[in-house]
Amino acid sequence: MNKALYNPLDDYRTVFVVDTLCKAASLSKIAQEGLMIKALSKADQSPVTVADFAVQALIGKLIDDAFPGEVLVGEENAETLKTESGSETLGQVVSLLGKEFTDTTNGKVCEWIDRGSGQPTSQFWTLDPVDGTKGFLRRDQFAIALAWIVSGVVELGGIACPSLDLGGEGGPGAIFVARRGRGSWVCKADKISEIRPIRVSSILDPAMARVLRSVESAHTNEDQFEKVIQQLKIVAPPVCMDSQAKYGMLAIGKAELLLRLLPSSSLGYREKIWDQAAGAIVLEEAGGRITDLFGEKLDFSQGITLDRNQGVVASNSYMHEAVLEILKEQGFKN
Ligand code: AMP
Ligand code: MG
């Protein structure tokens, strides 16, 4: 297949991902602008908002309509919404979804959200309805990430970044999408027909890298991060950004390197598939490379966590080996 001749808008599943992410991005912005951003706390103390539930309900319903019977593994579930403390949030989710679907009820919304309670199998979708919820609450970057995994391989993925400004007309908002072996593309939510292929930057020298990291210090190891930056002689100060928007930045050539080091407080942390799958394919199909800290490929065949991988190194590919070498010297051994 000649990549240059391939039109992503000719492929039914790819179009589904782009259309769905456009609708979800708009819903998330309405929730954010409508000040529906009060957060509830999940069991692990991480925040969850009306937008997380509304986006999962929307995408759960759309997948059910377009691909009945296909499995969805989403980050959220409707449990708290069914309790007394969740009833106000449920009311807000119902009112948001009611604008999209006339048959919206409390019960249906919970059903659509719980459509995402599937378990990984030979072929399934995975969804992070609001990746970077803390960024969403700060009104910084966040992403909606949807990927389709077949036999442990990410075959299709898209990331909506409603607050990411890539310049040009019409304000912020970018939708990235990639299909295995076919390429990676970006468009604006209101201009899908102007979708265009994207490519990583061609900078070779690690010292010239623009580096991305999480905003949350608990999601990386700041001391080790500083040491790696110094050893690579990187000149530009790192950019802190929430969510898989970071993978969009790498894929479009606006950054060269991303490091997710293991926080000393949670060395045993293993990434969730919905936090990496869509970002990984968008980056790889744009010519980039993504591995764990030891250079191992991310293994999406292990259930909902990347049990066989520790941390993440993502790059424009050209400087990947040099970075892995420095990590090895720093004592990241397996
Ligand atoms: P980021 O915006 O890059 O900080 O990534 C946000 C994601 O980090 C969230 O969706 C969480 O699932 C994930 N996360 C939660 N705890 C940790 C941790 N200890 N280390 C790395 N990532 C984490
Ligand atoms: Mg997430």
Side-chain angles (χ1 to χ4, degrees):
M1 161 62 70
N2 183 339
K3 277 191 183 184
L5 296 178
Y6 181 78
N7 180 353
L9 301 184
D10 287 342
D11 177 70
Y12 180 66
R13 270 186 197 264
T14 306
V15 172
F16 172 79
V17 167
V18 175
D19 274 348
T20 297
L21 289 177
C22 288
K23 288 185 181 132
S26 146
L27 194 67
S28 69
K29 273 297 186 191
I30 294 169
Q32 198 180 40
E33 281 152 19
L35 296 173
M36 292 179 178
I37 57 173
K38 203 178 104 196
L40 298 172
S41 276
K42 291 202 274 193
D44 63 359
Q45 301 309 314
S46 63
V48 59
T49 71
V50 170
D52 297 69
F53 294 119
V55 169
Q56 182 153 325
L58 173 79
I59 297 183
K61 159 123 177 84
L62 293 176
I63 286 183
D64 208 41
D65 290 349
F67 306 103
E70 291 198 7
V71 173
L72 173 63
V73 180
E75 181 172 8
E76 309 304 339
N77 65 66
E79 225 167 279
T80 40
L81 298 184
K82 294 174 191 163
T83 66
E84 186 64 34
S85 62
S87 65
E88 187 190 345
T89 305
L90 178 59
Q92 291 179 326
V93 178
V94 169
S95 106
L96 276 175
L97 270 290
K99 296 188 181 90
E100 196 75 30
F101 309 112
T102 48
D103 60 341
T104 305
T105 61
N106 286 7
K108 284 220 166 122
V109 159
C110 291
E111 232 173 72
W112 297 335
I113 294 170
D114 284 337
R115 185 66 181 71
S117 299
Q119 288 302 310
T121 174
S122 57
Q123 175 184 314
F124 65 98
W125 295 91
T126 188
L127 170 70
D128 193 338
V130 177
D131 180 32
T133 303
K134 289 179 181 166
F136 176 84
L137 289 165
R138 276 190 255 102
R139 297 179 187 276
D140 284 340
Q141 292 304 324
F142 66 99
I144 299 156
L146 179 64
W148 184 51
I149 299 179
V150 182
S151 305
V153 176
V154 188
E155 288 293 336
L156 168 66
I159 322 167
C161 306
S163 301
L164 191 63
D165 196 345
L166 298 176
E169 287 166 25
I175 311 281
F176 298 91
V177 71
R179 190 83 152 100
R180 181 72 58 199
R182 303 285 161 84
S184 233
W185 301 269
V186 72
C187 65
K188 291 211 166 196
D190 56 349
K191 292 195 180 122
I192 296 177
S193 61
E194 291 176 19
I195 197 163
R196 62 182 169 90
I198 53 174
R199 198 74 208 152
V200 291
S201 107
S202 53
I203 290 177
L204 301 175
D205 181 1
M208 301 311 290
R210 291 164 290 181
V211 190
L212 298 166
R213 52 155 281 193
S214 292
V215 175
E216 299 299 322
S217 53
H219 294 176
T220 192
N221 184 316
E222 291 185 324
D223 292 343
Q224 280 173 346
F225 184 86
E226 284 310 317
K227 278 190 202 149
V228 174
I229 298 297
Q230 273 175 21
Q231 289 211 357
L232 288 167
K233 301 188 172 56
I234 289 174
V235 187
V239 173
C240 298
M241 186 179 276
D242 298 285
S243 85
Q244 287 169 74
K246 293 190 276 298
Y247 293 119
M249 292 288 283
L250 290 171
I252 205 165
K254 287 185 180 285
E256 285 75 31
L257 182 61
L258 179 162
L259 295 171
R260 274 186 102 75
L261 304 177
L262 298 174
S264 51
S265 55
S266 53
L267 287 172
Y269 185 80
R270 296 296 175 266
E271 298 291 335
K272 297 284 194 299
I273 51 173
W274 51 73
D275 282 328
Q276 301 299 328
I281 189 169
V282 165
L283 176 59
E284 287 178 330
E285 286 298 321
R289 190 170 162 201
I290 182 165
T291 66
D292 72 4
L293 301 175
F294 306 108
E296 298 294 329
K297 281 189 76 157
L298 300 190
D299 182 347
F300 289 95
S301 71
Q302 297 300 302
I304 68 162
T305 49
L306 298 172
D307 276 343
R308 295 200 173 147
N309 299 109
Q310 297 178 52
V312 177
V313 181
S315 75
N316 66 346
S317 82
Y318 305 111
M319 57 188 63
H320 209 90
E321 283 302 326
V323 176
L324 290 176
E325 207 45 53
I326 293 289
L327 289 173
K328 214 174 188 178
E329 280 173 26
Q330 288 261 330
F332 287 91
K333 295 189 179 72
N334 59 355

